[in-house]
């Protein structure tokens, strides 16, 4: 069953995040809590961890997209 990555709340004044770098590519296995993608705001850069173990199936956003 697919599991989506969810962008956590990074602050009240921040309304947009941008995809920085994908640390895992489609087809790669991940373990729960492995860093998968870097998201960037004007104030902070955060690595999002995998919510569950499995295989990356697709990236819906590319680097630089909001």
């Amino acid at each position: 069953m697919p599991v989506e990555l969810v962008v956590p709340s990074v602050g009240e004044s921040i309304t947009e995040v941008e995809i920085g770098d994908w640390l895992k590519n489609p087809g790669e296995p991940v373990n729960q809590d492995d860093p998968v993608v870097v998201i960037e705001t004007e104030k902070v850069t955060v690595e999002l961890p995998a919510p569950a173990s499995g295989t990356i199936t697709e990236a819906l956003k590319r680097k630089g997209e909001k």
Side-chain angles (χ1 to χ4, degrees), residues 17-22 37-40 61-65:
V17 298
E18 182 175 298
I19 300 296
D21 287 310
W22 283 99
V37 65
V38 175
I39 58 169
E40 301 172 348
K61 298 279 185 175
R62 288 183 247 178
K63 181 176 179 172
E65 288 188 324

Side-chain angles (χ1 to χ4, degrees), residues 5 21-25 28-38 46-51 56:
L5 289 175
D21 287 310
W22 283 99
L23 306 174
K24 299 287 184 175
N25 295 308
E28 285 190 70
V30 294
N31 292 313
Q32 185 174 358
D33 297 326
D34 281 354
V36 175
V37 65
V38 175
V46 177
E47 288 183 350
L48 289 183
I56 303 293

